[in-house]
Amino acid sequence: MNLPNMQEAKRRDLNTHYRYEAPLVNNQFKDQKYFIKTYGCQMNVHDSEEIAGLLENLGYVPATSELDADLIILNTCAIRENAHDKVFGFLGRCKHLKKENKNLKLVLCGCMAQEKSVVDEIMEHHTYIDLVFGTHNIHELPNYLMNLKAGLNIEVKSNEGDVIEVGENFKRDSQYVAWINIMYGCDKFCTYCIVPYTRGKERSRKMEDVLREVNCLKEKGYKEVTLLGQNVNAYGHDLEDGTTFAKLLENVALTGMDRIRFVTSHPWNFTDEMIDIIAKYPNIMPYIHLPLQSGSDRILKLMGRRYTKAEYLALFHKMKERIPHVSITTDIIVGFPNESDADFEETLKVVDECQFDGAFTFIYSPREGTPAAKMTDSIPLAIKEERLHRLNEIVNKYSNMNNQKYLDKIVPVLLVGPSEKGQDKLYGYTDTMKLVNVQCDKALEGQIVPVKITEAKSFSLDGIVAEK
Ligand code: 5AD
Ligand code: SF4
């Protein structure tokens, strides 16, 4: 596998950073222990993998928990307000650990670090933190640690032009399934969402770089890749060479990787070409996460979502028709400012029509600096909670109903690791992203095996390896 070296990278694209290939610089951190606590979405989980790789390159080894760590990193999420309280609660406990371990360093990174109000709060009340760094400069972490000054170090950038390339030796949590960032940031500016402010504008990686990474993972024996972006449909828009997500997906399929997934898709510019490509290649998994957010046209407009209920439904049904046994999940927000009972009923109608395989549901949380946070809101929290409860009951009913269709069927499952449901079990996923706990020989870990489904519950399936 030939990865470009640093010099080539600089010539090719000044805004591209290569990292992870750096040799151990000195023994400053040798055998020190790190612990990373990750909040939020898959993008953050993947960033934490990258951070772990950078630290191990420096000589750090993993700690078992925050209690025996010399370096604690909180990789934070800003999407909803409650994450803020959890993070500062955890930090407060870590502050006490500093009394026992004088060398302990506390670091905060991720989306909250990009919020000015959070940085102000840290400078005023949490100066026991050693380092704050943002989402645009993860690759600088080794430099920051090597040159850490006493007291609080703040390294947050609003530089939005960068695209990050990982090296061949990039360490991942799994040997079988891998996340691949295909783009960074989001330009959609949905009125409730903080992501465009914390992650910056849309920047796509070059197709050749993504394909190189997929091929490299295939050579290493990986069975599945998930292409990651806040809105993967927008992939390529900034490259100006005609590259589209459909083209990327097709080329990734042609690498022969066993399983290909992607998240997240905005319903607004999900093209027919994308649907055709998903339907055409059996190694592109029939699973689409398609956030609805609301079923009311009035609320969708206030949210700045760029589609109507009818357009969402038309897309949903087209996917169901054209992609054999596709499973579709969604995100829904209840209690957007001034959402009326009638608006909420519209959402329930869409849920009844789509009968989603699953849904992540949230109560709207105002985020400072977003347009929706300035809207007045007359709906009491108790009503929002009641709506969430009602919605969840309906959503769970349909997840269960969809899962029951798997009973007694034989389906291919990629077994990814030991199951929490018993010593003799591994867990894995169907092509449609259903979690399955499988009674089987542990040696099957990492393989795609036919599994007979013996029990179907709302959030998971049970199965045994089917006779061949
Ligand atoms: N309040 C509640 N939920 C939100 N989401 C994004 N921003 C907010 C907010 N301010 C939800 C959306 C999105 C998911 C990742 O989080 O449903 O799709
Ligand atoms: Fe946020 Fe909307 Fe972008 Fe999704 S598409 S990350 S909800 S702004």
Side-chain angles (χ1 to χ4, degrees):
M1 206 63 249
N2 282 329
L3 285 163
N5 65 30
M6 204 64 183
Q7 292 308 317
E8 280 169 351
K10 277 189 182 140
R11 268 204 309 274
R12 234 158 36 111
D13 180 354
L14 282 175
N15 286 333
T16 301
H17 293 280
Y18 284 79
R19 48 183 174 158
Y20 309 116
E21 305 294 352
L24 185 60
V25 184
N26 55 36
N27 280 338
Q28 193 183 348
F29 305 106
K30 194 159 176 353
D31 296 332
Q32 290 199 24
K33 293 181 180 165
Y34 73 91
F35 178 76
I36 306 174
K37 186 149 179 80
T38 309
Y39 299 85
C41 67
Q42 283 316 324
M43 198 72 76
N44 265 14
V45 173
H46 185 52
D47 284 350
S48 288
E49 273 186 332
E50 299 186 18
I51 291 167
L54 290 169
L55 295 176
E56 291 185 21
N57 247 348
L58 283 178
Y60 276 97
V61 292
T64 43
S65 78
E66 71 274 18
L67 299 176
D68 68 333
D70 303 298
L71 174 70
I72 299 175
I73 299 193
L74 278 84
N75 189 3
T76 63
C77 168
I79 208 138
R80 282 169 291 273
E81 180 69 30
N82 58 1
H84 174 280
D85 301 342
K86 281 192 210 151
V87 165
F88 282 101
F90 188 78
L91 270 171
R93 294 196 293 282
C94 293
K95 181 182 172 185
H96 293 294
L97 296 174
K98 276 195 148 189
K99 289 189 193 123
E100 287 149 37
N101 179 358
K102 295 272 179 262
N103 294 321
L104 174 62
K105 299 279 178 259
L106 284 181
V107 178
L108 184 143
C109 65
C111 287
M112 271 172 62
Q114 294 295 143
E115 287 184 276
K116 189 181 173 300
S117 60
V118 170
V119 174
D120 289 347
E121 186 180 349
I122 289 173
M123 290 202 296
E124 201 160 322
H125 301 295
H126 304 276
T127 46
Y128 56 87
I129 297 175
D130 297 279
L131 170 65
V132 176
F133 69 94
T135 56
H136 300 295
N137 46 344
I138 297 176
H139 54 287
E140 300 277 9
L141 177 61
N143 287 339
Y144 299 148
L145 291 174
M146 283 187 284
N147 300 305
L148 209 59
K149 298 191 186 73
L152 175 60
N153 296 251
I154 304 236
E155 299 285 355
V156 180
K157 293 186 177 161
S158 61
N159 181 353
E160 298 181 346
D162 293 344
V163 162
I164 307 297
E165 294 301 321
V166 299
E168 198 177 342
N169 297 326
F170 173 55
K171 178 185 158 282
R172 294 175 189 267
D173 291 343
S174 165
Q175 293 165 260
Y176 320 115
V177 295
W179 304 97
I180 299 185
N181 273 331
I182 59 165
M183 59 183 302
Y184 299 87
C186 182
D187 288 352
K188 293 290 163 294
F189 288 94
C190 301
T191 58
Y192 52 80
C193 186
I194 199 165
V195 169
Y197 309 91
T198 60
R199 292 273 172 179
K201 65 178 163 52
E202 286 167 357
R203 293 98 70 201
S204 304
R205 285 177 67 197
K206 292 196 173 96
M207 175 134 78
E208 68 208 64
D209 291 331
V210 176
L211 292 175
R212 187 185 296 114
E213 196 175 342
V214 176
N215 279 316
C216 181
L217 289 162
K218 188 165 176 271
E219 273 176 32
K220 287 184 174 170
Y222 277 79
K223 294 276 171 26
E224 179 178 300
V225 293
T226 302
L227 310 178
L228 276 182
Q230 303 296 343
N231 167 23
V232 292
N233 313 2
Y235 174 80
H237 288 188
D238 56 318
L239 291 177
E240 291 166 0
D241 62 358
T243 305
T244 60
F245 182 61
K247 288 207 179 79
L248 176 74
L249 204 50
E250 177 154 47
N251 281 305
V252 174
L254 291 170
T255 64
M257 175 59 74
D258 290 274
R259 287 181 158 202
I260 298 148
R261 302 187 185 279
F262 53 91
V263 276
T264 291
S265 308
H266 193 299
W268 174 60
N269 48 358
F270 205 109
T271 61
D272 281 4
E273 195 189 359
M274 277 160 61
I275 297 181
D276 292 342
I277 300 275
I278 298 165
K280 178 171 169 193
Y281 292 93
N283 56 345
I284 302 178
M285 296 296 97
Y287 166 70
I288 298 169
H289 185 64
L290 194 69
L292 166 69
Q293 312 300 6
S294 169
S296 150
D297 283 343
R298 192 181 76 85
I299 298 291
L300 285 171
K301 194 152 192 210
L302 288 172
M303 286 178 163
R305 288 291 288 177
R306 307 165 190 226
Y307 53 85
T308 60
K309 167 186 164 177
E311 283 163 347
Y312 183 95
L313 288 171
L315 175 65
F316 179 93
H317 291 301
K318 202 186 318 178
M319 286 172 172
K320 284 274 175 184
E321 263 161 42
R322 293 208 205 157
I323 307 169
H325 77 282
V326 69
S327 87
I328 301 179
T329 56
T330 198
D331 290 342
I332 299 170
I333 298 175
V334 301
F336 188 81
N338 300 316
E339 180 192 60
S340 66
D341 281 337
D343 291 320
F344 178 61
E345 293 298 330
E346 289 295 304
T347 299
L348 295 185
K349 272 193 217 152
V350 177
V351 173
D352 276 327
E353 181 165 339
C354 295
Q355 307 189 349
F356 293 106
D357 281 85
F360 297 101
T361 57
F362 313 98
I363 291 188
Y364 166 73
S365 166
R367 304 308 291 122
E368 199 185 318
T370 61
K374 294 187 196 81
M375 297 177 188
T376 53
D377 187 6
S378 60
I379 311 294
L381 183 62
I383 293 198
K384 298 186 183 195
E385 285 171 345
E386 202 183 295
R387 285 182 189 160
L388 183 71
H389 182 73
R390 243 183 100 194
L391 174 65
N392 283 344
E393 287 201 331
I394 298 171
V395 158
N396 295 348
K397 178 182 84 181
Y398 289 122
S399 318
N400 191 297
M401 204 184 83
N402 283 307
N403 282 357
Q404 294 306 327
K405 293 181 196 154
Y406 285 73
L407 203 57
D408 296 328
K409 296 249 165 68
I410 295 175
V411 289
V413 174
L414 169 55
L415 297 166
V416 285
S419 164
E420 287 173 357
K421 302 288 173 194
Q423 291 282 312
D424 55 343
K425 288 183 179 155
L426 292 173
Y427 81 97
Y429 292 92
T430 64
D431 55 352
T432 50
M433 202 62 191
K434 303 278 179 193
L435 170 65
V436 196
N437 290 296
V438 186
Q439 188 152 7
C440 62
D441 182 348
K442 292 282 185 70
L444 291 174
E445 187 176 313
Q447 293 188 33
I448 299 170
V449 296
V451 169
K452 179 165 183 183
I453 303 303
T454 52
E455 196 177 340
K457 296 170 268 194
S458 288
F459 305 111
S460 67
L461 307 170
D462 288 341
I464 48 170
V465 178
E467 301 292 326
K468 286 207 177 145

